[in-house]
Amino acid sequence: MHVVRFSEAPSYHAPGHDKMAMVRLQGREAGPSDTAWLGVSILEPGGGTTLDTSSVEKLYLVLDGKVTMSNGADEVVLARWDSCRIAPGEGRKLFNATAQQATILLVMPLPTPPPP
C-alpha cells in the first residue's frame, strides 16, 4: 500500500497551464505505479490550459465547480461529478469561466516501457 496525503502531494507545473495549482497523488514523483498517474488541478477563475493534443488518453472528473472543456471543435461545461475522456490525438482545452475555483481530477497512463 502506498498512501499520499493531499497535504503532502508533490506539486508540478505543466507548460500551457495558467492560474492552476497542480499536484500528483499517485505515480511519477508521488510514488510507484505500473500503469497510470493521478493528479488534481485547482483552476482559479480565468485559469486553464491552451488547446493541445497528446498521444495518450486523458480522463477528467470535476470534483468541485465548473470547468469548460473543448476539443477545438466542441465545447461543454462540466459540473461536479461530470467526467470527460479525451482520446489520444484529440485536442484538449480546459477553462474556468466562473468566479469560483474549480477542482478537477486527472488520470493519465504512464509511458509504455521499451521492450527488453
Side-chain angles (χ1 to χ4, degrees):
M1 181 180 331
H2 179 79
V3 175
V4 175
R5 304 283 181 204
F6 190 80
S7 62
E8 299 170 358
S11 63
Y12 71 99
H13 182 74
H17 292 58
D18 186 45
K19 296 183 183 177
M20 294 176 65
M22 300 171 290
V23 296
R24 291 202 215 278
L25 301 177
Q26 293 292 331
R28 299 202 180 256
E29 65 270 21
S33 177
D34 294 335
T35 59
W37 67 270
L38 183 67
V40 165
S41 298
I42 299 170
L43 292 82
E44 296 297 330
T49 70
T50 57
L51 181 63
D52 201 4
T53 61
S54 172
S55 63
V56 297
E57 175 181 63
K58 295 180 181 184
L59 303 172
Y60 293 94
L61 172 69
V62 175
L63 301 175
D64 197 28
K66 292 183 180 179
V67 177
T68 301
M69 177 81 67
S70 173
N71 64 4
D74 298 312
E75 186 174 284
V76 64
V77 176
L78 303 175
R80 187 174 185 208
W81 304 124
D82 291 342
S83 63
C84 182
R85 174 189 182 255
I86 299 295
E90 183 177 16
R92 180 273 294 133
K93 180 179 180 178
L94 304 171
F95 185 70
N96 180 358
T98 75
Q100 307 297 319
Q101 281 186 338
T103 306
I104 196 162
L105 178 75
L106 167 63
V107 179
M108 278 182 62
L110 291 168
T112 304

